Amino acid sequence: MGLEINTLAIIPLMTKMHHPRAAESATKYFLTQATASALILFSTTINAWMTGEWTIMNMTNQIPTVILTLALAIKLGVAPFHLWLPDVLQGLNMLTCLILSTWQKLAPMALMMLTSHQLNTNLLIVMALMSTIIGGWGGLNQTQMRKIMAYSSIAHLGWMILVISFAPSLALLNLLIYLVLTSSMFLMLMTLNSTNTNKLSISWLKTPTLAASMMVTLMALGGLPPTSGFLPKWLILQEMTKQHLGALSALMAMSALLSLFFYIRLSYTISMTSPPNISNSSLTWRKKKNLTYVIPILITMSAAMMPITPTLLLLN
């Protein structure tokens, strides 16, 4: 019921633009989420039929656990159930995209963490590897920022569900850092009013400091040290090697390079290029943006959480 309220509450926000693309996005989102909720109900019904209990914490049979794993994967947008996410985000405005990429991931991820000890580990590993590869590959040829952020979200979710059955605390740490990085990225895109790479290349005319800061956040999303994005990848690869999954760790690390390529391309576009014929074109006015304190705090957290790794590990 909570998941359904969560789904229905965001649909008015999605359709407020009164555009056919927004209506299409809302329809796709509603159908996928309703299908996933029905599968969760189906899974719990089968479990109740087999064990006589309605709780999802003690599933003993393989069939309901596999169905529950697949349902939560559809809810999150994990590969191979990822196709709805880029299309849905492309039809929405930036604020709704921010909510969809951050807040809407919390409920399914919380359910996944609660039931992580009984989910099908092999299935999770296969979906995680597919997510990181598809998330990197899908974003390579994109010019629309919302689609790039959707594929970035798919790749990050792959890292989370990879480690969730081995160390749920690491998955939680990864989720928190993902929320910080994605929020700072979307807030910067909203401030610069950039929806594609062409608009991004002239954004240094509007707010040069923010354009420079975006490069740091992009590097953090790519997982380059010493930014915060390197922290979860490092810890997850360390955990995977402890579990004697060396080949899988190598594949995950190589698939992260695909994502890193388009982040580097974006940072090159925003901070190292200038549009041609600038003297003859109309310059963008530097508006006085009411930059809240949220963006600087999020950018600082994106760049500087690496030194407090021991503290974060103790909290987990």
Side-chain angles (χ1 to χ4, degrees), residues 25-278:
S25 291
T27 310
K28 284 179 179 175
Y29 182 74
F30 173 73
L31 290 174
T32 50
Q33 297 296 311
T35 306
S37 297
L39 279 174
I40 291 172
L41 199 58
F42 183 50
S43 162
T44 50
T45 308
I46 291 175
N47 185 56
W49 178 51
M50 288 177 167
T51 62
E53 287 185 2
W54 280 99
T55 176
I56 60 167
M57 294 295 289
N58 300 313
M59 288 188 177
T60 51
N61 198 284
Q62 277 292 313
I63 297 168
T65 52
V66 168
I67 295 172
L68 184 66
T69 310
L70 294 176
L72 292 172
I74 295 169
K75 277 263 177 211
L76 287 165
V78 172
F81 312 105
H82 66 285
L83 292 169
W84 62 271
L85 189 58
D87 284 346
V88 165
L89 284 195
Q90 186 55 33
L92 309 175
N93 63 4
M94 282 294 181
L95 183 60
T96 318
C97 285
L98 169 63
I99 297 167
L100 202 69
S101 301
T102 54
W103 186 258
Q104 294 297 102
K105 304 282 185 208
L106 293 180
M109 192 53 83
L111 272 179
M112 202 170 250
M113 282 178 188
L114 276 174
T115 56
S116 60
H117 60 282
Q118 62 194 16
L119 296 179
N120 192 312
T121 309
N122 293 330
L123 186 62
L124 284 175
I125 287 173
V126 170
M127 288 196 300
L129 192 57
M130 284 178 72
S131 295
T132 48
I133 292 169
I134 289 169
W137 221 319
L140 287 180
N141 209 24
Q142 300 295 336
T143 56
Q144 298 292 325
M145 286 308 300
R146 284 168 289 197
K147 281 199 172 181
I148 287 173
M149 291 307 293
Y151 282 111
S152 164
S153 175
I154 292 164
H156 277 89
L157 284 167
W159 284 91
M160 283 178 232
I161 66 162
L162 173 71
V163 80
I164 202 161
S165 54
F166 301 107
S169 57
L170 276 186
L172 180 61
L173 176 67
N174 196 345
L175 177 64
L176 292 174
I177 290 175
Y178 161 76
L179 293 178
V180 169
L181 298 178
T182 309
S183 303
S184 63
M185 194 66 200
F186 271 116
L187 287 170
M188 283 191 276
L189 290 172
M190 283 159 61
T191 308
L192 297 171
N193 199 19
S194 302
T195 52
N196 56 35
T197 48
N198 289 337
K199 284 184 182 176
L200 205 63
S201 64
I202 58 163
S203 59
W204 62 273
L205 295 166
K206 302 174 189 174
T207 320
T209 316
L210 204 58
S213 306
M214 192 181 275
M215 186 173 74
V216 178
T217 308
L218 282 164
M219 292 299 100
L221 278 166
L224 278 188
T227 57
S228 305
F230 176 65
L231 172 62
K233 286 186 171 60
W234 169 35
L235 294 171
I236 288 169
L237 288 176
Q238 187 183 13
E239 181 63 34
M240 289 294 105
T241 46
K242 280 181 189 171
Q243 302 288 340
H244 307 291
L245 294 167
L248 180 69
S249 304
L251 283 170
M252 290 295 288
M254 285 191 284
S255 64
L257 296 176
L258 289 168
S259 302
L260 185 61
F261 177 78
F262 64 78
Y263 294 132
I264 289 175
R265 193 183 64 192
L266 281 178
S267 60
Y268 173 75
T269 304
I270 193 168
S271 60
M272 297 180 189
T273 57
S274 57
N277 304 325
I278 196 161

